Amino acid sequence: MLTLPDALKRCLHDSMTWSIGRISDKQGAIFPVEELAISSAVAKRRNEFVAGRTCAREALHALGYPATALPVEEDGRPAWPDGVVGSIAHSGEWATAIAVDRGRFAGIGVDLEQDEPLEKDLYAMVLRPEERQLLSQSTNPDFSAVDVAKLIFSIKEASYKAVSHRIGRWVDFQDAS
């Protein structure tokens, strides 16, 4: 069976650097400007944030960048160093980050999700009407409609991360199909 780190590695271009690990193992030091962003966060959110920033710094180090702060932009995205595009994700007990030189890619998005169905009450928010229609007609025995709904959610989440800094506006789940 493929491990999560091996699965991530297989999805990435050779020029991309990345780090992945258990949130409990990725509790590195953070910069004061990052501390401000989570000063009132509960322990779970704080641990996720620190693990994501630790993974991001490890990915940046592999690109040749020194340890640097990754402050939070107004819309919640991490502010990557000039010349870099990157993405951070965490879910359950895992955190990951991917970084690449901006000259190679315009954007990158990654998402991690728990292996459980998308909550039915989120379908209307996440899935466009035509996507809900396709799910209702699905006959593939290898994938249940709830598995596909969660996959669509994850793809849209990663897509938002990849393009939001380029288009300069909030991207809603209904904006992508």
Side-chain angles (χ1 to χ4, degrees), residues 138-145 147-148:
S138 176
T139 59
N140 186 331
D142 295 328
F143 294 99
S144 72
D147 294 332
V148 174

Side-chain angles (χ1 to χ4, degrees), residues 45 53 71-80 157 160-161 163-171:
R45 171 67 185 128
R53 290 310 194 272
V72 177
E73 299 277 11
E74 284 185 27
D75 62 2
R77 291 180 296 112
W80 292 88
E157 187 76 14
Y160 161 74
K161 292 176 182 182
V163 303
S164 62
H165 73 285
R166 300 279 300 174
I167 62 175
R169 70 170 182 86
W170 176 260
V171 179

Side-chain angles (χ1 to χ4, degrees), residues 73-94:
E73 299 277 11
E74 284 185 27
D75 62 2
R77 291 180 296 112
W80 292 88
D82 287 341
V84 175
V85 292
S87 186
I88 298 172
H90 45 75
S91 184
E93 60 186 74
W94 291 93

Side-chain angles (χ1 to χ4, degrees), residues 29-148:
I30 61 172
F31 287 79
V33 68
E34 296 167 335
E35 180 65 46
L36 286 174
I38 56 168
S39 61
S40 62
V42 298
K44 179 182 183 298
R45 171 67 185 128
R46 178 182 180 75
N47 291 340
E48 292 168 343
F49 182 94
V50 171
R53 290 310 194 272
T54 300
C55 287
R57 277 188 269 286
E58 290 171 355
L60 286 168
H61 177 75
L63 279 180
Y65 285 81
T68 186
L70 298 167
V72 177
E73 299 277 11
E74 284 185 27
D75 62 2
R77 291 180 296 112
W80 292 88
D82 287 341
V84 175
V85 292
S87 186
I88 298 172
H90 45 75
S91 184
E93 60 186 74
W94 291 93
T96 190
I98 300 170
V100 66
D101 287 319
R102 187 177 301 277
R104 302 240 3 163
F105 290 87
I108 183 78
V110 65
D111 187 45
L112 294 174
E113 295 297 331
Q114 295 293 301
D115 186 13
E116 55 195 33
L118 181 68
E119 296 172 27
K120 294 263 187 193
D121 61 338
L122 295 179
Y123 276 34
M125 180 183 81
V126 172
L127 304 172
R128 293 171 56 93
E130 64 272 20
E131 293 166 337
R132 290 193 303 273
Q133 179 68 27
L134 284 172
L135 288 180
S136 71
Q137 298 169 350
S138 176
T139 59
N140 186 331
D142 295 328
F143 294 99
S144 72
V146 292
D147 294 332
V148 174

Side-chain angles (χ1 to χ4, degrees), residues 5-17:
D6 289 339
L8 177 64
K9 184 177 181 178
R10 289 177 62 175
C11 294
L12 301 177
H13 189 272
D14 290 343
S15 65
M16 295 175 180
T17 60

